[in-house]
Amino acid sequence: AIRMTQSPSSFSASTGDRVTITCRASQGISSYLAWYQQKPGKAPKLLIYAASTLQSGVPSRFSGSGSGTDFTLTISCLQSEDFATYYCQQYYSYPPYTFGQGTKLEIK
Amino acid sequence: EVQLVESGGGLVQPGGSLRLSCAASGFTFSSYEMNWVRQAPGKGLEWVSYISSSGSTIYYADSVKGRFTISRDNAKNSLYLQMNSLRAEDTAVYYCARVEITMVRGPVGFDPWGQGTLVTVSS
């Protein structure tokens, strides 16, 4: 199975900051990568697919990049509603679909 | 509005069984692949099972293989997960999630997700 590793596992930032989360795959997955946002007590929400394509309705301050094994999710100007946990997921080779362990973004 | 609503969770003893349901609305259910994903308390997301649009192709995570059975009824717009021989480590919120399809790239992740249903395995 392809392992997905996110870094950092958690960190603190302030409203207005630019933040970057990294996701690394244990083998090449081309651009078959999705990013999800999950708020406490809520279901995950698809933000980005194909590594860099924003899902409909997702604000443009979110962006994704990468291919092969290394990917990033960037939030250009943090808003209060962006404090959440973010997961990457590979859909290049399944089963199993695999997720990263999550990155919890907290308010500083 | 595209919507998925899970039901059937609850408290069950180790070794017991439970059947989860996921009611779909707002889209042509029979055209979409579906999944179950779970999240243990305070933990990350774990994919559990996949079923193709017709039900002819099914996959399971190793952790549930032989104990869980995924199925669907396209006439009822419903997805199911039969869970047998439940263990404490199966305690989690269980989400159903649709495979998102795009014209250009085909399957591209899971969207939307239901609100989840909590399964607690404890004596």
Side-chain angles (χ1 to χ4, degrees):
Chain A
I2 299 175
R3 288 190 318 278
M4 307 301 293
T5 304
Q6 291 180 230
S7 61
S9 295
S10 65
F11 71 103
S12 300
S14 301
T15 305
D17 285 352
R18 177 184 177 92
V19 299
T20 298
I21 297 169
T22 296
C23 177
R24 175 164 289 175
S26 61
Q27 64 187 76
I29 59 170
S30 184
S31 297
Y32 292 82
L33 185 100
W35 288 98
Y36 298 87
Q37 177 193 65
Q38 186 180 34
K39 297 182 179 179
K42 301 295 186 181
K45 171 188 172 184
L46 178 63
L47 293 178
I48 288 172
Y49 61 85
S52 62
T53 303
L54 253 60
Q55 176 68 329
S56 176
V58 174
S60 59
R61 63 181 179 274
F62 290 90
S63 63
S65 66
S67 68
T69 60
D70 294 314
F71 303 87
T72 59
L73 171 69
T74 299
I75 311 172
S76 61
C77 183
L78 270 176
Q79 303 298 302
S80 57
E81 60 266 30
D82 301 334
F83 292 96
T85 300
Y86 294 85
Y87 294 92
C88 61
Q89 177 207 24
Q90 68 83 20
Y91 52 94
Y92 174 79
S93 175
Y94 57 91
Y97 289 102
T98 45
F99 294 89
Q101 81 278 16
T103 295
K104 186 175 183 180
L105 179 53
E106 298 175 301
I107 299 174
K108 184 182 290 184
Chain B
E1 179 193 5
V2 174
Q3 194 171 16
L4 298 170
V5 179
E6 301 94 337
S7 60
L11 174 63
V12 61
Q13 292 188 336
S17 298
L18 215 52
R19 189 195 196 206
L20 306 183
S21 299
C22 171
S25 60
F27 65 100
T28 305
F29 179 71
S30 60
S31 297
Y32 286 85
E33 303 160 25
M34 298 293 296
N35 292 271
W36 287 98
V37 178
R38 68 184 180 183
Q39 186 170 37
K43 303 298 184 182
L45 302 170
E46 179 189 15
W47 170 79
V48 172
S49 185
Y50 159 97
I51 188 167
S52 63
S53 57
S54 67
S56 61
T57 300
I58 285 172
Y59 303 127
Y60 297 101
D62 287 345
S63 58
V64 306
K65 201 173 294 182
R67 300 187 299 122
F68 290 12
T69 302
I70 191 172
S71 63
R72 64 190 297 160
D73 185 335
N74 286 341
K76 294 183 177 180
N77 293 332
S78 293
L79 175 72
Y80 306 102
L81 186 68
Q82 177 67 43
M83 303 186 297
N84 297 332
S85 303
L86 282 161
R87 306 166 180 168
E89 54 265 35
D90 295 319
T91 294
V93 173
Y94 285 73
Y95 297 100
C96 61
R98 187 186 75 172
V99 174
E100 174 76 323
I101 304 288
T102 65
M103 294 286 288
V104 175
R105 295 181 178 270
V108 292
F110 298 168
D111 187 59
W113 300 54
Q115 86 288 351
T117 187
L118 176 62
V119 172
T120 303
V121 184
S122 175
S123 54

